[in-house]
Amino acid sequence: MTGGIVSSYHNPDPYVPETLSELNDYVVPMMGNAPFFKDESGYLPGRSIDTEFYGLVEGFGRVRDKIGEDRYAAAIDIAARMKALFLEAADEDDPKTMEGILLIHELIDIIDAARARRVKSKLKDDEGRVTGD
């Protein structure tokens, strides 16, 4: 057999998080995939730094009304700085990689703050429950 692994889960469109919890689940693993965001398993052959940051930026766009304009602008700025750092990093041990990972923590803080505010205000999610989404 030649070629890479073919997955029945293959989707040609990059995944974009729809909720704050999905966005959090998307951001956290970025720490382990930095700085290159390449799939070593063969199951996600189209994954790259560009597809990962596309999903990140679009995901923040989809929760923009839930996090507010100031947090949205901060998140987009952080994402741009992260991507620039990761593009400059030579490998995972490069100090620029660690700088980018620290920025990931800032994104997590933005998401957590928005979720906490939504819970405190008892704002319901799309399913009518108070979950922080």
Side-chain angles (χ1 to χ4, degrees), residues 31-79:
M31 289 185 264
N33 295 321
F36 304 121
F37 304 94
K38 298 272 186 206
D39 174 51
E40 302 295 327
S41 70
Y43 287 104
L44 302 167
R47 185 169 76 182
S48 68
I49 192 168
D50 291 326
T51 61
E52 290 297 292
F53 278 85
Y54 171 82
L56 179 66
V57 170
E58 290 296 312
F60 271 106
R62 294 191 183 172
V63 299
R64 186 176 191 163
D65 61 327
K66 294 179 180 179
I67 64 173
E69 288 301 316
D70 290 344
R71 284 189 179 109
Y72 172 76
I76 298 306
D77 176 64
I78 291 167

Side-chain angles (χ1 to χ4, degrees), residues 88-103:
E88 293 174 8
D91 58 33
E92 61 189 28
D93 296 322
D94 190 304
K96 290 185 186 290
T97 301
M98 184 51 68
E99 281 184 67
I101 289 172
L102 291 174
L103 290 175

